[in-house]
Every structure is written in structure tokens, then in C-alpha cells.
């Protein structure tokens, strides 16, 4: 047994272990301890560096400061964010909601207790039961006929793909989607329904790009969690920006409706007062212009 003594100074440490007869430590004793200390220091240094990097990259839990001049995004004002969009009512009317998304001002028109159908030619504004009307399919420049496949009360009056977006109304159920070859065209023909095509805007929550790059007032027929309504931009927008705003609104599928500031249509509020999108006598009308119209589904 070797006496290590008690003469250890405050600034000194010794390795306790087996020693040789001459008092020296066996090989590996001091070097093993030194290696362990170096390894621990290396790990600690690595941890410190990692924490510094994480903090530098925004990994801190501290809230980010917002400057006075930073833009503030306006969140959409939704009456009901779930499946029911708008307010419930027991009368046939159109509800109008206004919101701003991505700096795009939108007006949302929600028909209540009303059934959609298609008409060809300007609809009767004085029809008391009609609560909402928008121009639907485009017409050709060359012959002024309806552009794309169109079915009116089971009768096909136009054919052709032209645009991949479609709306089908069969047994009073409206379907909005995107497809090159929808079987709903034939089904609408067989069951006395309606069908038309338009530019696709949103397909299953994904943005659809379209070739026209101009900006104008946009109108869209939208499906949001099974509820169908119309959205109108209150400012001139490109297809891209309008479609993105619809997606951020929560729209699953959407197709274009005849846009621009001159496309005709109207909506009636709960008081039965009609408001117009473009005055009928201030625009050029065409024999084959088509409309999607919602009429009251309530009994007289």
C-alpha cells in the first residue's frame, strides 16, 4: 500500500490508483483521465455551438417582434368556418358577405332555400322567385354560339371541350369540378339536367393556371365543403391571384363565370330588394348568353 500523503495543495489534483514500486503510475492511468476530460470538454463545446446556431436560425421560443411599418395581413371574416358558410334562414334569398384575402377584396353571394338551373337568353328580372343570377358559359366570337358543352333541361345544345371546368345540375344537385371527360354531361342529358363548361380555377384545393393573363373583375362558382356559392372580386385581378384567394378562403373546387364589369346579374336580399352587377340597359346583349339562376325552392 502506498501512502499518498495529505500534502495536496488547493490548486493541485492527483490520480488515485495503483502505482509502481517506485511511486510512478502505471501506464494509462493519467493519460486515460486526461482523455476523458478532453472528450467531455469537446461534447460541451459542441452543445454550446449547436445552441448558438439554433438560436441564430430562429429556433428561439421568444416571439418575433413586429415592426410598426410591417404589413398586417387581414384574416378572412367568415360567419361559419365549417361546412355551413353564412347564416341560416327560413326564407328564399341571397346573403352577401364581404372579406379581404391577400389584399383581394371579395364579395360572397350565398343562395338560401333556392335551387339552381340554367337559362339561355337574359332571364326575367321580375321573376319573384329568382334570388340570384350570374352569366354562366362564354359565347364564341365568330358565330355567337355557346362556347363548350352545354345541356339545357336534358337537351344538348352545344358540344366541345374548350375548357376543363364544368358545372352539372342533376336532380337539383349542383356539382362543380374539373375534368376533360365528365360523365355528368351524359347524365344531365339522360335525366333532364343542366351542364356547362368554363375555365377551371381550383381543382380539389389546388390552383389551376389559365392562359389569359389580363386583369378584370372576376366571378367564380365555388364549392366549399359541399356548399355552393358565388364569389366576386371587387377589384381587377388576374386568374392566378383570384384563384389563390379562393383557395385561402377554403374553396375546394371553383370554375370561372363570365367576368368583367359588364357581365349582367343580380341578387335579392332577405327583403326582396334586387341589386345588380351591371345594369341591363348599359350593355350589349346576345341571344345565346346563358345564366345560372337560383329560384326559391319553398312552397308558395
Amino acid at each position: 500500500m502506498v501512502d499518498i500523503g495529505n500534502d495536496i495543495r488547493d490548486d493541485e489534483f492527483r490520480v488515485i490508483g495503483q502505482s509502481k514500486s517506485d511511486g510512478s503510475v502505471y501506464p494509462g492511468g493519467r493519460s486515460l483521465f486526461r482523455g476523458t476530460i478532453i472528450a467531455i470538454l469537446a461534447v460541451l463545446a459542441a452543445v454550446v455551438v449547436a445552441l448558438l446556431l439554433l438560436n441564430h436560425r430562429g429556433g428561439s421560443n421568444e416571439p418575433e417582434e413586429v415592426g410598426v411599418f410591417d404589413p398586417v395581413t387581414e384574416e378572412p371574416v367568415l360567419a361559419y368556418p365549417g361546412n355551413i358558410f353564412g347564416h341560416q334562414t327560413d326564407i328564399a334569398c341571397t346573403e352577401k358577405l364581404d372579406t379581404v384575402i391577400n389584399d383581394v377584396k371579395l364579395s360572397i353571394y350565398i343562395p338560401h332555400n333556392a335551387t339552381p338551373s340554367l337559362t339561355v337568353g337574359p332571364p326575367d328580372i321580375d321573376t319573384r322567385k329568382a334570388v340570384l343570377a350570374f352569366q354562366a358559359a362564354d359565347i364564341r366570337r365568330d358565330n355567337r354560339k355557346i362556347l363548350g358543352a352545354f345541356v339545357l333541361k336534358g337537351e344538348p345544345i352545344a358540344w366541345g371541350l374548350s375548357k376543363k371546368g364544368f358545372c352539372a345540375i342533376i336532380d337539383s344537385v349542383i356539382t362543380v369540378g374539373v375534368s376533360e371527360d365528365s360523365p355528368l354531361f351524359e347524365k344531365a342529358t339522360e335525366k333532364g339536367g343542366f351542364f356547362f363548361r368554363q375555365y377551371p380555377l381550383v381543382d380539389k384545393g389546388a390552383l389551376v393556371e389559365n392562359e389569359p393573363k389580363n386583369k378584370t373583375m372576376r366571378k367564380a362558382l365555388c364549392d366549399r365543403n359541399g356548399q355552393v356559392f358565388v364569389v366576386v372580386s371587387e377589384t381587377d385581378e388576374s386568374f392566378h391571384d383570384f384563384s389563390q384567394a379562393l383557395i385561402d378562403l377554403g374553396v375546394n373546387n371553383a370554375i370561372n363565370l363570365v367576368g368583367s364589369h359588364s357581365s349582367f346579374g343580380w341578387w335579392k336580399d332577405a327583403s326582396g330588394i334586387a341589386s345588380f352587377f351591371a345594369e341591363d340597359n348599359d350593355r350589349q346583349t346576345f341571344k345565346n348568353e346563358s345564366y345560372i339562376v337560383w329560384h326559391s325552392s319553398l312552397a308558395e
Side-chain angles (χ1 to χ4, degrees):
M1 192 72 165
V2 178
D3 183 12
I4 64 174
N6 296 318
D7 56 343
I8 302 176
R9 299 194 305 273
D10 292 340
D11 59 349
E12 180 183 24
F13 65 87
R14 294 183 183 178
V15 177
I16 300 174
Q18 279 190 314
S19 303
K20 295 182 180 179
S21 58
D22 60 359
S24 62
V25 180
Y26 280 107
R30 190 182 300 274
S31 62
L32 178 61
F33 180 80
R34 184 180 299 155
T36 302
I37 292 296
I38 293 173
I40 293 174
L41 291 175
V43 171
L44 289 174
V47 170
V48 170
V49 171
L51 289 174
L52 289 174
L53 288 175
L54 182 62
N55 196 39
H56 177 70
R57 294 176 182 177
S60 172
N61 292 325
E62 292 295 324
E64 183 178 351
E65 294 288 342
V66 179
V68 174
F69 299 104
D70 287 342
V72 178
T73 301
E74 296 188 51
E75 295 296 328
V77 180
L78 306 181
Y80 292 88
N83 291 340
I84 300 175
F85 189 47
H87 296 86
Q88 303 253 13
T89 180
D90 58 358
I91 63 175
C93 64
T94 297
E95 179 182 4
K96 179 176 180 286
L97 299 176
D98 296 313
T99 188
V100 178
I101 298 181
N102 305 334
D103 295 327
V104 178
K105 294 182 179 180
L106 302 176
S107 292
I108 305 162
Y109 298 88
I110 307 167
H112 292 287
N113 303 310
T115 302
S117 62
L118 297 181
T119 65
V120 176
D124 184 1
I125 304 170
D126 297 325
T127 301
R128 184 170 57 86
K129 296 184 66 175
V131 299
L132 184 64
F134 282 90
Q135 284 188 248
D138 286 315
I139 56 176
R140 298 170 58 101
R141 288 184 180 274
D142 54 357
N143 58 18
R144 299 295 193 268
K145 292 184 178 180
I146 294 175
L147 180 61
F150 195 97
V151 178
L152 181 66
K153 295 181 181 180
E155 180 184 354
I157 60 176
W159 290 262
L161 176 59
S162 71
K163 300 168 183 178
K164 296 180 181 179
F166 71 86
C167 167
I169 305 170
I170 302 170
D171 294 332
S172 299
V173 176
I174 186 168
T175 303
V176 180
V178 180
S179 174
E180 291 187 4
D181 186 19
S182 173
L184 294 181
F185 177 85
E186 287 77 14
K187 190 172 181 180
T189 301
E190 295 168 1
K191 303 199 70 175
F194 306 87
F195 186 97
F196 75 93
R197 284 197 173 274
Q198 258 291 0
Y199 286 112
L201 301 177
V202 180
D203 182 17
K204 300 180 182 65
L207 188 150
V208 181
E209 295 287 1
N210 288 288
E211 183 59 33
K213 305 302 180 185
N214 64 311
K215 289 187 176 183
T216 188
M217 176 183 285
R218 300 293 179 186
K219 299 181 175 78
L221 181 65
C222 305
D223 178 348
R224 181 179 184 267
N225 300 327
Q227 185 178 21
V228 177
F229 50 87
V230 177
V231 177
V232 177
S233 71
E234 296 300 331
T235 52
D236 290 349
E237 303 294 339
S238 66
F239 270 134
H240 180 95
D241 291 345
F242 184 55
S243 297
Q244 186 59 59
L246 295 178
I247 292 172
D248 292 339
L249 184 65
V251 168
N252 306 108
N253 296 289
I255 63 171
N256 186 59
L257 293 176
V258 176
S260 80
H261 296 270
S262 62
S263 61
F264 183 59
W266 77 87
W267 64 283
K268 292 181 181 178
D269 62 16
S271 301
I273 298 175
S275 298
F276 298 94
F277 299 109
E279 291 295 342
D280 189 35
N281 56 4
D282 291 337
R283 67 182 190 90
Q284 185 178 8
T285 60
F286 299 93
K287 175 183 176 182
N288 289 313
E289 61 187 36
S290 62
Y291 291 79
I292 180 169
V293 184
W294 280 263
H295 291 85
S296 171
S297 58
L298 301 177
E300 292 287 344

